[in-house]
Amino acid sequence: MASEKRLTRLTTEQRYELVAYLDGELSDEDTRKIEQLIAGSAVARGDVELLAATYELLGELPRPKASGDFTERTMATARLDEIKPDLVSSPLIDGIRRSLSYIGWIALLLVAGAIGYSATRFWAPRPYDTVVRDFEIIEQLDKYTEIGSTDFLERLSNSERLMSEIRGEVDHASPR
């Protein structure tokens, strides 16, 4: 059995070099490399033949004619691009964008700081809140400890007649 030569595919870069070779755009050294590739690879020879045939077919297509004012309009547009400055990519606009970005970040940090401060200042419980809320009871703590048991007070609070008398005295004694 004769030894079969395996066909290897060309890389994308080699295909681009084949096109440049046919266009005559390669240096002498690159031209020599491509000619060696074509001589040693059946795939490369086939690709060159296909590309050459494609170029021949493209050569037979009718060439479109540009209108008379096409050149004038193209040159006028090119001159406008040279005259009119590109404000979007100017250093001034870049500086303004950068400054606005910094201002935005600073504002975001300030808002986050204000939210954090508010959360800890107003919503998080503080140890002395209980003391402030129960100050009247704490102020009378010595009297409450002398009582000892609260059973007597509970029995008194269950007596409707006594509680109505106490409420009446408290209502008359409080200033209006």
Side-chain angles (χ1 to χ4, degrees):
M1 206 188 252
S3 67
E4 294 181 23
K5 224 177 177 184
R6 187 165 182 214
L7 297 177
T8 56
R9 300 180 94 183
L10 297 178
T11 65
T12 305
E13 183 178 318
Q14 288 172 329
R15 288 182 186 274
Y16 287 135
E17 288 177 353
L18 286 177
V19 172
Y21 170 75
L22 289 174
D23 287 340
E25 298 173 351
L26 293 179
S27 67
D28 291 340
E29 183 181 335
D30 289 337
T31 301
R32 202 171 351 95
K33 287 180 185 176
I34 288 296
E35 287 173 349
Q36 288 175 352
L37 175 69
I38 293 169
S41 169
V43 174
R45 280 190 300 276
D47 283 353
V48 167
E49 289 172 8
L50 284 174
L51 286 171
T54 303
Y55 280 7
E56 286 177 27
L57 289 174
L58 286 174
E60 292 183 22
L61 289 175
R63 298 206 178 246
K65 296 278 184 181
S67 64
D69 66 334
F70 174 77
T71 305
E72 244 177 73
R73 284 186 291 145
T74 304
M75 294 306 292
T77 303
R79 276 186 246 123
L80 272 178
D81 286 344
E82 291 172 5
I83 295 171
K84 184 177 75 174
D86 186 17
L87 294 178
V88 174
S89 62
S90 71
L92 176 65
I93 298 298
D94 287 342
I96 290 172
R97 279 190 189 136
R98 205 171 309 114
S99 298
L100 289 176
S101 174
Y102 292 146
I103 290 170
W105 280 108
I106 290 170
L108 183 65
L109 287 173
L110 288 174
V111 168
I115 290 172
Y117 175 77
S118 297
T120 57
R121 172 81 171 100
F122 300 111
W123 298 312
R126 294 175 296 244
Y128 55 83
D129 284 344
T130 306
V131 174
V132 171
R133 187 185 67 231
D134 297 337
F135 180 70
E136 292 179 10
I137 295 172
I138 294 171
E139 191 175 45
Q140 303 294 327
L141 190 59
D142 290 338
K143 293 179 185 175
Y144 296 141
T145 54
E146 289 177 11
I147 294 173
S149 173
T150 59
D151 292 337
F152 175 71
L153 293 176
E154 285 177 14
R155 280 186 281 148
L156 283 177
S157 68
N158 288 333
S159 169
E160 285 297 322
R161 189 171 135 234
L162 180 61
M163 290 306 292
S164 63
E165 286 179 25
I166 292 173
R167 284 188 193 112
E169 288 178 15
V170 171
D171 287 342
H172 293 301
S174 64
R176 293 188 186 197

